[in-house]
Amino acid sequence: MAITTQYMIASYRVKPADQNKFLNELQSTETAYQKAGLLSDKSIIRMTSRVDPEFIIEIIEWIDSQAFAAAQENSDILGHWGRLEEIWLDGGFGFDHVPESKNPWATFNPLAE
């Protein structure tokens, strides 16, 4: 059975005061992914750490193993990523920086859209 989609876990650290602005930009970025035809038909899952609510985690389902590379070459998406970088404290780090990553059954709080 061939696997056609690929999952990615993205993690960010954002001050609570900036999270609404950040989440709005994440939603705009998701729209750009969809417009570029890079996402599966499943919604991106967004959650926050229960230990440190500055940590935001996304689970993205790309259409295939090449979609993330294609996103890195899309000028519209790069613009969105630049705006995210202006807001976050940190991002693009490994999931191991998220406090729950060391737990065998990591649980998170859902983020309202």
Side-chain angles (χ1 to χ4, degrees):
M1 181 169 133
I3 297 174
T4 57
T5 60
Q6 187 171 48
Y7 289 100
M8 181 177 77
I9 298 175
S11 45
Y12 318 95
R13 227 177 109 235
V14 181
K15 290 180 187 177
D18 294 332
Q19 287 190 358
N20 282 338
K21 182 178 179 182
F22 189 79
L23 292 173
N24 286 336
E25 188 57 44
L26 283 178
Q27 186 61 45
S28 293
T29 305
E30 180 176 356
T31 300
Y33 295 152
Q34 291 167 335
K35 182 180 171 185
L38 300 175
L39 293 181
S40 75
D41 59 355
K42 295 180 184 171
S43 296
I44 292 176
I45 298 169
R46 294 189 180 97
M47 59 199 106
T48 187
S49 168
R50 295 174 76 178
V51 175
D52 184 346
E54 285 189 351
F55 286 93
I56 294 174
I57 299 95
E58 288 187 307
I59 300 176
I60 301 167
E61 185 175 358
W62 300 108
I63 57 165
D64 59 32
S65 62
Q66 303 304 310
F68 182 60
Q72 294 172 350
E73 297 176 6
N74 181 301
S75 61
D76 184 36
I77 292 170
L78 292 174
H80 285 282
W81 288 353
R83 288 187 289 282
L84 290 168
E85 289 175 4
E86 292 172 4
I87 303 167
W88 71 34
L89 293 169
D90 196 9
F93 48 80
F95 183 67
D96 62 329
H97 286 71
V98 178
E100 285 87 349
S101 68
K102 292 157 186 59
N103 297 341
W105 306 105
T107 56
F108 299 90
N109 292 327
L111 280 171
E113 295 292 324

